[in-house]
Amino acid sequence: EAQVTQNPRYLITVTGKKLTVTCSQNMNHEYMSWYRQDPGLGLRQIYYSMNVEVTDKGDVPEGYKVSRKEKRNFPLILESPSPNQTSLYFCASGGVQGRDTGELFFGEGSRLTVL
Amino acid sequence: AQTVTQSQPEMSVQEAETVTLSCTYDTSESDYYLFWYKQPPSRQMILVIRQEAYKQQNATENRFSVNFQKAAKSFSLKISDSQLGDAAMYFCAYSIRSGNTPLVFGKGTRLSVIA
């Protein structure tokens, strides 16, 4: 089954404790991205990756890191989480524009709470 | 920068009736995609319908159809014969056709369906 898998789905942590949210897709997609969803703000892009070893900042990259060492994986790293990073996070993947439908496939979301 | 505006934070509709959700966008591009995503209480992001800007014909998927007005940069979603399962947050989204896939979202419209 084609899917994007995120882990953990729920996490409560404390300020400053490093954490990683993993994301894996099995559709051989070149493009992967992280979004955060906050009430009244919709979904905002954090980072994206066009392919292995290629990453770029989105609209709200501060406080986050990513890496793309393998095509299927795109982890989101919070080196020193703060309460303003409490949010619902989505990983998404898709083909490269011009060769696909433009659609992104989303994971089920990770609810992160930073105390 | 591309922006997507959903002017209706909340809407409600009676079961079996028709409702239209509004979306406008701002872009200088001529070739792009437009999407409507549905987010039910499960939080999963589900693609409802997709429109390619170069196609003048409005996309339709069963009870869901769009009114795409390219000159006006408007992309509304019409839901016919509304069902209780249609209750969700709906996001309008835009991405350019070439280059990367920076899917830009509106802030969402929460749709309630009244039995």
Side-chain angles (χ1 to χ4, degrees):
Chain A
E1 179 188 357
Q3 59 185 4
V4 179
T5 304
Q6 297 178 224
N7 280 296
R9 297 285 312 282
Y10 300 90
L11 180 63
I12 300 175
T13 189
V14 295
T15 299
K17 185 176 182 181
K18 179 180 179 180
L19 68 92
T20 299
V21 186
T22 63
C23 175
S24 180
Q25 51 94 3
N26 63 1
M27 294 168 278
N28 202 35
H29 284 155
E30 293 93 346
Y31 182 89
M32 297 186 74
S33 180
W34 278 101
Y35 289 86
R36 62 177 287 173
Q37 182 181 2
D38 302 289
L41 298 178
L43 280 82
R44 295 178 292 169
Q45 191 176 47
I46 302 171
Y47 270 95
Y48 64 95
S49 169
M50 291 291 290
N51 214 324
V52 176
E53 301 294 358
V54 180
T55 62
D56 277 297
K57 296 178 180 179
D59 296 322
V60 288
E62 296 77 19
Y64 304 94
K65 286 176 59 177
V66 293
S67 68
R68 187 90 180 273
K69 292 182 170 53
E70 304 167 283
K71 195 173 188 178
R72 63 183 292 125
N73 296 323
F74 191 46
L76 179 70
I77 303 158
L78 286 72
E79 293 272 4
S80 182
S82 62
N84 65 12
Q85 292 178 297
T86 293
S87 187
L88 176 61
Y89 292 86
F90 285 98
C91 180
S93 73
V96 174
Q97 286 282 17
R99 300 201 302 269
D100 74 326
T101 64
E103 178 186 355
L104 286 188
F105 296 83
F106 286 83
E108 293 183 299
S110 296
R111 170 73 68 185
L112 171 64
T113 300
V114 183
L115 302 176
Chain B
Q2 291 83 12
T3 59
V4 177
T5 302
Q6 295 179 247
S7 59
Q8 307 150 315
E10 296 183 352
M11 294 278 287
S12 62
V13 62
Q14 293 279 348
E15 197 175 5
E17 296 296 311
T18 295
V19 64
T20 298
L21 308 184
S22 301
C23 173
T24 59
Y25 57 96
D26 185 24
T27 183
S28 57
E29 302 287 336
S30 60
D31 197 8
Y32 49 87
Y33 298 108
L34 293 162
F35 307 87
W36 279 97
Y37 279 87
K38 170 185 178 182
Q39 187 181 43
S42 67
R43 305 180 328 199
Q44 181 70 38
M45 294 290 288
I46 302 165
L47 179 67
V48 174
I49 201 164
R50 170 181 165 273
Q51 176 82 41
E52 294 173 81
Y54 71 88
K55 291 185 177 178
Q56 293 191 351
Q57 185 175 5
N58 289 325
T60 299
E61 288 288 341
N62 300 314
R63 297 182 296 107
F64 298 87
S65 61
V66 298
N67 183 5
F68 173 47
Q69 302 288 329
K70 191 172 184 179
K73 297 180 182 175
S74 171
F75 184 61
S76 60
L77 175 70
K78 186 173 82 171
I79 306 174
S80 304
D81 186 24
S82 297
Q83 301 175 0
L84 294 177
D86 295 333
M89 182 72 86
Y90 287 83
F91 292 99
C92 180
Y94 158 99
S95 72
I96 59 173
R97 191 176 173 88
S98 61
N100 62 36
T101 315
L103 199 60
V104 178
F105 286 88
K107 294 183 178 180
T109 297
R110 183 171 300 281
L111 178 67
S112 301
V113 181
I114 303 165

